[in-house]
Amino acid sequence: MATAADMSAWIALFLGLAIMAASVAELRAPGGWMKLVEELEASFALRFVAGFVTVMFGALVYLANPWDRGDWLSVLVTVIGGIGVAKGLLILAAPDRIMGLGRRILGNRSTVIAGIDALLGAGLLFAALSRLQTL
């Protein structure tokens, strides 16, 4: 079990792995993320479940992470959890706005965004492994 000293690193590790896996999936089969947005736009039930799950996971990250340690990784992971909560609440409260924003951001650039996300995921993974190695 993770201790408070390494909780942020473990959260960053698994978040980085998840981001990299999603990015690789989009890079292997471009257009999947746009299909996801289209399916979310078409289904109230999917939007509701996605929003609810996003709020819950964001809240779990926010509450489980010891952000008051003051180091940059702890603060970053806590901010990511807070952003997850906000994003989930937006999906629940204003799904038309957030899905429209997602459609505009993705456009025809899903592979570029997936590449940027893969780099961000790799950065989280590197930070996590660096932290876990020193503990």
Side-chain angles (χ1 to χ4, degrees):
M1 178 165 181
T3 64
D6 60 352
M7 184 68 73
S8 299
W10 283 109
I11 293 171
L13 175 87
F14 288 114
L15 187 58
L17 287 171
I19 291 170
M20 288 182 63
S23 299
V24 167
E26 177 62 21
L27 291 170
R28 289 188 71 232
W33 287 358
M34 186 57 81
K35 178 105 170 114
L36 177 87
V37 170
E38 291 169 359
E39 289 177 3
L40 283 171
E41 283 178 325
S43 173
F44 177 82
L46 275 178
R47 282 194 312 264
F48 183 82
V49 170
F52 188 79
V53 168
T54 304
V55 169
M56 290 298 106
F57 276 115
L60 287 172
V61 167
Y62 185 85
L63 293 172
N65 187 53
W67 67 273
D68 57 346
R69 289 184 43 222
D71 66 289
W72 68 271
L73 187 58
S74 297
V75 172
L76 176 66
V77 169
T78 301
V79 167
I80 290 171
I83 290 170
V85 170
K87 182 178 174 183
L89 292 173
L90 284 172
I91 292 171
L92 289 171
D96 54 333
R97 303 275 183 163
I98 198 76
M99 292 301 122
L101 179 64
R103 180 181 287 284
R104 284 192 302 277
I105 288 172
L106 277 177
N108 293 330
R109 302 177 295 273
S110 67
T111 54
V112 173
I113 293 171
I116 292 168
D117 282 356
L119 291 175
L120 293 173
L124 277 174
L125 193 60
F126 177 75
L129 291 174
S130 296
R131 175 72 54 86
L132 290 171
Q133 184 178 14
T134 60
L135 291 175

PDB file of all heavy atoms in Angstrom, residues 59-76:
ATOM      1  N   ALA A  59     -12.561  13.670  -7.508  1.00  0.00           N
ATOM      2  CA  ALA A  59     -12.688  13.871  -6.062  1.00  0.00           C
ATOM      3  C   ALA A  59     -11.803  12.903  -5.293  1.00  0.00           C
ATOM      4  O   ALA A  59     -11.175  13.286  -4.292  1.00  0.00           O
ATOM      5  CB  ALA A  59     -14.148  13.701  -5.637  1.00  0.00           C
ATOM      6  N   LEU A  60     -11.727  11.657  -5.737  1.00  0.00           N
ATOM      7  CA  LEU A  60     -10.858  10.688  -5.070  1.00  0.00           C
ATOM      8  C   LEU A  60      -9.396  11.110  -5.129  1.00  0.00           C
ATOM      9  O   LEU A  60      -8.678  11.032  -4.127  1.00  0.00           O
ATOM     10  CB  LEU A  60     -11.028   9.301  -5.697  1.00  0.00           C
ATOM     11  CG  LEU A  60     -12.327   8.582  -5.373  1.00  0.00           C
ATOM     12  CD1 LEU A  60     -12.459   7.309  -6.209  1.00  0.00           C
ATOM     13  CD2 LEU A  60     -12.406   8.253  -3.893  1.00  0.00           C
ATOM     14  N   VAL A  61      -8.961  11.571  -6.290  1.00  0.00           N
ATOM     15  CA  VAL A  61      -7.577  12.045  -6.421  1.00  0.00           C
ATOM     16  C   VAL A  61      -7.360  13.262  -5.532  1.00  0.00           C
ATOM     17  O   VAL A  61      -6.370  13.347  -4.798  1.00  0.00           O
ATOM     18  CB  VAL A  61      -7.237  12.374  -7.894  1.00  0.00           C
ATOM     19  CG1 VAL A  61      -5.940  13.148  -8.012  1.00  0.00           C
ATOM     20  CG2 VAL A  61      -7.175  11.096  -8.714  1.00  0.00           C
ATOM     21  N   TYR A  62      -8.295  14.190  -5.571  1.00  0.00           N
ATOM     22  CA  TYR A  62      -8.164  15.415  -4.783  1.00  0.00           C
ATOM     23  C   TYR A  62      -8.106  15.111  -3.284  1.00  0.00           C
ATOM     24  O   TYR A  62      -7.300  15.664  -2.547  1.00  0.00           O
ATOM     25  CB  TYR A  62      -9.337  16.346  -5.087  1.00  0.00           C
ATOM     26  CG  TYR A  62      -9.228  17.688  -4.410  1.00  0.00           C
ATOM     27  CD1 TYR A  62      -8.511  18.713  -4.992  1.00  0.00           C
ATOM     28  CD2 TYR A  62      -9.845  17.925  -3.188  1.00  0.00           C
ATOM     29  CE1 TYR A  62      -8.402  19.945  -4.373  1.00  0.00           C
ATOM     30  CE2 TYR A  62      -9.744  19.148  -2.561  1.00  0.00           C
ATOM     31  CZ  TYR A  62      -9.022  20.152  -3.158  1.00  0.00           C
ATOM     32  OH  TYR A  62      -8.906  21.364  -2.544  1.00  0.00           O
ATOM     33  N   LEU A  63      -8.968  14.222  -2.819  1.00  0.00           N
ATOM     34  CA  LEU A  63      -9.048  13.933  -1.391  1.00  0.00           C
ATOM     35  C   LEU A  63      -7.948  12.993  -0.905  1.00  0.00           C
ATOM     36  O   LEU A  63      -7.491  13.112   0.235  1.00  0.00           O
ATOM     37  CB  LEU A  63     -10.419  13.340  -1.058  1.00  0.00           C
ATOM     38  CG  LEU A  63     -11.593  14.296  -1.218  1.00  0.00           C
ATOM     39  CD1 LEU A  63     -12.901  13.550  -1.052  1.00  0.00           C
ATOM     40  CD2 LEU A  63     -11.491  15.446  -0.242  1.00  0.00           C
ATOM     41  N   ALA A  64      -7.510  12.074  -1.739  1.00  0.00           N
ATOM     42  CA  ALA A  64      -6.510  11.090  -1.308  1.00  0.00           C
ATOM     43  C   ALA A  64      -5.091  11.636  -1.345  1.00  0.00           C
ATOM     44  O   ALA A  64      -4.216  11.141  -0.650  1.00  0.00           O
ATOM     45  CB  ALA A  64      -6.599   9.843  -2.180  1.00  0.00           C
ATOM     46  N   ASN A  65      -4.873  12.649  -2.150  1.00  0.00           N
ATOM     47  CA  ASN A  65      -3.519  13.161  -2.333  1.00  0.00           C
ATOM     48  C   ASN A  65      -3.148  14.159  -1.232  1.00  0.00           C
ATOM     49  O   ASN A  65      -3.880  15.108  -0.989  1.00  0.00           O
ATOM     50  CB  ASN A  65      -3.414  13.831  -3.703  1.00  0.00           C
ATOM     51  CG  ASN A  65      -2.009  14.224  -4.028  1.00  0.00           C
ATOM     52  OD1 ASN A  65      -1.105  13.411  -3.968  1.00  0.00           O
ATOM     53  ND2 ASN A  65      -1.821  15.473  -4.368  1.00  0.00           N
ATOM     54  N   PRO A  66      -1.996  13.967  -0.590  1.00  0.00           N
ATOM     55  CA  PRO A  66      -1.572  14.899   0.468  1.00  0.00           C
ATOM     56  C   PRO A  66      -0.932  16.156  -0.126  1.00  0.00           C
ATOM     57  O   PRO A  66       0.281  16.297  -0.147  1.00  0.00           O
ATOM     58  CB  PRO A  66      -0.561  14.066   1.265  1.00  0.00           C
ATOM     59  CG  PRO A  66       0.014  13.131   0.257  1.00  0.00           C
ATOM     60  CD  PRO A  66      -1.101  12.833  -0.708  1.00  0.00           C
ATOM     61  N   TRP A  67      -1.752  17.073  -0.611  1.00  0.00           N
ATOM     62  CA  TRP A  67      -1.245  18.252  -1.313  1.00  0.00           C
ATOM     63  C   TRP A  67      -0.520  19.228  -0.398  1.00  0.00           C
ATOM     64  O   TRP A  67       0.246  20.065  -0.864  1.00  0.00           O
ATOM     65  CB  TRP A  67      -2.381  18.967  -2.022  1.00  0.00           C
ATOM     66  CG  TRP A  67      -3.370  19.567  -1.065  1.00  0.00           C
ATOM     67  CD1 TRP A  67      -4.443  18.935  -0.531  1.00  0.00           C
ATOM     68  CD2 TRP A  67      -3.365  20.865  -0.523  1.00  0.00           C
ATOM     69  NE1 TRP A  67      -5.119  19.767   0.313  1.00  0.00           N
ATOM     70  CE2 TRP A  67      -4.473  20.979   0.341  1.00  0.00           C
ATOM     71  CE3 TRP A  67      -2.539  21.965  -0.672  1.00  0.00           C
ATOM     72  CZ2 TRP A  67      -4.765  22.124   1.047  1.00  0.00           C
ATOM     73  CZ3 TRP A  67      -2.831  23.123   0.025  1.00  0.00           C
ATOM     74  CH2 TRP A  67      -3.936  23.186   0.869  1.00  0.00           C
ATOM     75  N   ASP A  68      -0.731  19.155   0.888  1.00  0.00           N
ATOM     76  CA  ASP A  68      -0.136  20.130   1.801  1.00  0.00           C
ATOM     77  C   ASP A  68       1.339  19.859   2.100  1.00  0.00           C
ATOM     78  O   ASP A  68       1.945  20.572   2.884  1.00  0.00           O
ATOM     79  CB  ASP A  68      -0.932  20.192   3.107  1.00  0.00           C
ATOM     80  CG  ASP A  68      -1.040  18.846   3.787  1.00  0.00           C
ATOM     81  OD1 ASP A  68      -0.738  17.817   3.148  1.00  0.00           O
ATOM     82  OD2 ASP A  68      -1.453  18.825   4.961  1.00  0.00           O
ATOM     83  N   ARG A  69       1.915  18.838   1.454  1.00  0.00           N
ATOM     84  CA  ARG A  69       3.338  18.580   1.643  1.00  0.00           C
ATOM     85  C   ARG A  69       4.178  19.685   1.022  1.00  0.00           C
ATOM     86  O   ARG A  69       5.330  19.859   1.364  1.00  0.00           O
ATOM     87  CB  ARG A  69       3.710  17.233   1.031  1.00  0.00           C
ATOM     88  CG  ARG A  69       3.147  16.074   1.828  1.00  0.00           C
ATOM     89  CD  ARG A  69       3.576  14.726   1.309  1.00  0.00           C
ATOM     90  NE  ARG A  69       4.973  14.694   0.967  1.00  0.00           N
ATOM     91  CZ  ARG A  69       5.449  14.114  -0.125  1.00  0.00           C
ATOM     92  NH1 ARG A  69       4.642  13.531  -0.970  1.00  0.00           N
ATOM     93  NH2 ARG A  69       6.728  14.109  -0.382  1.00  0.00           N
ATOM     94  N   GLY A  70       3.627  20.403   0.075  1.00  0.00           N
ATOM     95  CA  GLY A  70       4.290  21.566  -0.486  1.00  0.00           C
ATOM     96  C   GLY A  70       5.182  21.290  -1.680  1.00  0.00           C
ATOM     97  O   GLY A  70       5.680  22.228  -2.286  1.00  0.00           O
ATOM     98  N   ASP A  71       5.406  20.031  -2.045  1.00  0.00           N
ATOM     99  CA  ASP A  71       6.252  19.802  -3.220  1.00  0.00           C
ATOM    100  C   ASP A  71       5.410  19.926  -4.483  1.00  0.00           C
ATOM    101  O   ASP A  71       4.190  19.804  -4.463  1.00  0.00           O
ATOM    102  CB  ASP A  71       6.947  18.431  -3.137  1.00  0.00           C
ATOM    103  CG  ASP A  71       5.978  17.281  -3.207  1.00  0.00           C
ATOM    104  OD1 ASP A  71       5.240  17.082  -2.222  1.00  0.00           O
ATOM    105  OD2 ASP A  71       5.973  16.592  -4.236  1.00  0.00           O
ATOM    106  N   TRP A  72       6.066  20.180  -5.590  1.00  0.00           N
ATOM    107  CA  TRP A  72       5.371  20.515  -6.827  1.00  0.00           C
ATOM    108  C   TRP A  72       4.525  19.351  -7.349  1.00  0.00           C
ATOM    109  O   TRP A  72       3.457  19.578  -7.912  1.00  0.00           O
ATOM    110  CB  TRP A  72       6.363  20.992  -7.883  1.00  0.00           C
ATOM    111  CG  TRP A  72       7.287  19.908  -8.374  1.00  0.00           C
ATOM    112  CD1 TRP A  72       8.494  19.559  -7.850  1.00  0.00           C
ATOM    113  CD2 TRP A  72       7.045  19.020  -9.468  1.00  0.00           C
ATOM    114  NE1 TRP A  72       9.026  18.510  -8.546  1.00  0.00           N
ATOM    115  CE2 TRP A  72       8.162  18.159  -9.553  1.00  0.00           C
ATOM    116  CE3 TRP A  72       6.016  18.868 -10.376  1.00  0.00           C
ATOM    117  CZ2 TRP A  72       8.264  17.173 -10.512  1.00  0.00           C
ATOM    118  CZ3 TRP A  72       6.122  17.878 -11.341  1.00  0.00           C
ATOM    119  CH2 TRP A  72       7.242  17.054 -11.407  1.00  0.00           C
ATOM    120  N   LEU A  73       4.978  18.107  -7.202  1.00  0.00           N
ATOM    121  CA  LEU A  73       4.202  16.982  -7.716  1.00  0.00           C
ATOM    122  C   LEU A  73       2.893  16.808  -6.945  1.00  0.00           C
ATOM    123  O   LEU A  73       1.844  16.555  -7.540  1.00  0.00           O
ATOM    124  CB  LEU A  73       5.030  15.688  -7.674  1.00  0.00           C
ATOM    125  CG  LEU A  73       4.383  14.467  -8.339  1.00  0.00           C
ATOM    126  CD1 LEU A  73       4.068  14.732  -9.806  1.00  0.00           C
ATOM    127  CD2 LEU A  73       5.282  13.253  -8.197  1.00  0.00           C
ATOM    128  N   SER A  74       2.945  16.983  -5.629  1.00  0.00           N
ATOM    129  CA  SER A  74       1.721  16.883  -4.819  1.00  0.00           C
ATOM    130  C   SER A  74       0.715  17.952  -5.216  1.00  0.00           C
ATOM    131  O   SER A  74      -0.479  17.677  -5.340  1.00  0.00           O
ATOM    132  CB  SER A  74       2.057  17.015  -3.337  1.00  0.00           C
ATOM    133  OG  SER A  74       2.876  15.960  -2.922  1.00  0.00           O
ATOM    134  N   VAL A  75       1.188  19.165  -5.413  1.00  0.00           N
ATOM    135  CA  VAL A  75       0.310  20.265  -5.808  1.00  0.00           C
ATOM    136  C   VAL A  75      -0.259  20.001  -7.202  1.00  0.00           C
ATOM    137  O   VAL A  75      -1.459  20.171  -7.438  1.00  0.00           O
ATOM    138  CB  VAL A  75       1.055  21.616  -5.742  1.00  0.00           C
ATOM    139  CG1 VAL A  75       0.215  22.735  -6.327  1.00  0.00           C
ATOM    140  CG2 VAL A  75       1.449  21.929  -4.302  1.00  0.00           C
ATOM    141  N   LEU A  76       0.588  19.552  -8.135  1.00  0.00           N
ATOM    142  CA  LEU A  76       0.132  19.274  -9.499  1.00  0.00           C
ATOM    143  C   LEU A  76      -0.944  18.192  -9.518  1.00  0.00           C
ATOM    144  O   LEU A  76      -1.982  18.338 -10.174  1.00  0.00           O
ATOM    145  CB  LEU A  76       1.312  18.854 -10.384  1.00  0.00           C
ATOM    146  CG  LEU A  76       0.955  18.448 -11.814  1.00  0.00           C
ATOM    147  CD1 LEU A  76       0.411  19.638 -12.593  1.00  0.00           C
ATOM    148  CD2 LEU A  76       2.159  17.845 -12.504  1.00  0.00           C
TER     149      LEU A  76
END
